[in-house]
Amino acid sequence: TQRGGLPLSRRLLVKTSAAKEEDYPSVSQIRSIPRWILRTCFAFVTIGQVVVKIFRGKIHLRNVLEQLSNVGPKSLSVSLLTSCFVGMVFTIQFTREFARLGLTKAVGGVLSLALSRELVPVITAVIMAGRIGSAYAAELGTMRVSEQIDSLRMLNTDPVDYLVVPRVISCAIALPLLSVLCFAMGM
């Protein structure tokens, strides 16, 4: 990293500070880009940051456990109730249609395949997106408005590392577990 007497980070800092104003795009050029393109690029950058932080092992275990308790046990009742009713409705519909065809013995197998492959993962993910996604959006939006995210930056703490990574890890852990429990309830 030591080439030319300066470390790489210092050379990049000198290089960017020596850049001229015309080297950067103007405000009118940035505003001419459609907003959805900018948001999509920002989402991909954030996803990349999360993946890099996870693989580097920069995980706040206390935050992950706190978010895991919000995602898992607090979403369990809604998920189980929904999957129970979906399982009952599908059982009634499959039984009625298969009885007309004389295939009442196949109801259990077809129902388990339909629930395990399609319905339970989708319903659990929709419930998680609705319940947890809206809670996360409200929490992070409130933190943004009250300038708590800026305070994290001032304390030299990366907001993605501290706020986003624990939420992503907790959802990645809780969603498969909730899907298995919802499948058991739906059957």
Side-chain angles (χ1 to χ4, degrees), residues 5-18:
L6 288 174
L8 179 63
S9 59
R10 300 284 178 160
R11 281 185 296 159
L12 291 175
L13 182 63
V14 169
K15 188 183 283 187
T16 56
S17 64

Side-chain angles (χ1 to χ4, degrees), residues 59-80:
I59 299 169
H60 293 274
L61 189 59
R62 192 183 87 224
N63 290 350
V64 171
L65 294 176
E66 180 182 326
Q67 295 303 322
L68 194 57
S69 70
N70 287 337
V71 173
K74 293 185 180 176
S75 300
L76 189 61
S77 60
V78 176
S79 300
L80 290 179

Side-chain angles (χ1 to χ4, degrees), residues 112-184:
S112 66
L113 283 176
L115 284 176
S116 66
R117 289 184 182 173
E118 297 290 331
L119 282 173
V120 169
V122 170
I123 287 174
T124 308
V126 167
I127 291 170
M128 290 270 292
R131 187 187 181 289
I132 302 303
S134 62
Y136 284 169
E139 184 179 7
L140 294 175
T142 303
M143 291 178 81
R144 182 72 176 170
V145 169
S146 63
E147 298 179 355
Q148 292 177 19
I149 295 176
D150 296 331
S151 299
L152 285 173
R153 285 193 182 102
M154 292 302 293
L155 293 171
N156 202 17
T157 303
D158 186 16
V160 173
D161 186 27
Y162 191 74
L163 297 173
V164 180
V165 172
R167 287 166 171 80
V168 170
I169 291 173
S170 63
C171 286
I173 292 171
L175 186 60
L177 296 175
L178 281 175
S179 293
V180 169
L181 291 174
C182 288
F183 175 70

Side-chain angles (χ1 to χ4, degrees), residues 4-63:
L6 288 174
L8 179 63
S9 59
R10 300 284 178 160
R11 281 185 296 159
L12 291 175
L13 182 63
V14 169
K15 188 183 283 187
T16 56
S17 64
K20 298 174 187 158
E21 191 172 315
E22 54 267 3
D23 292 342
Y24 298 107
S26 66
V27 175
S28 62
Q29 288 174 331
I30 292 175
R31 286 190 181 157
S32 66
I33 300 172
R35 183 174 277 178
W36 66 271
I37 292 176
L38 293 174
R39 288 183 177 171
T40 303
C41 291
F42 180 72
F44 281 125
V45 167
T46 305
I47 291 169
Q49 286 177 342
V50 167
V51 169
V52 167
K53 303 278 184 188
I54 289 173
F55 283 125
R56 283 189 181 168
K58 289 199 157 205
I59 299 169
H60 293 274
L61 189 59
R62 192 183 87 224
N63 290 350

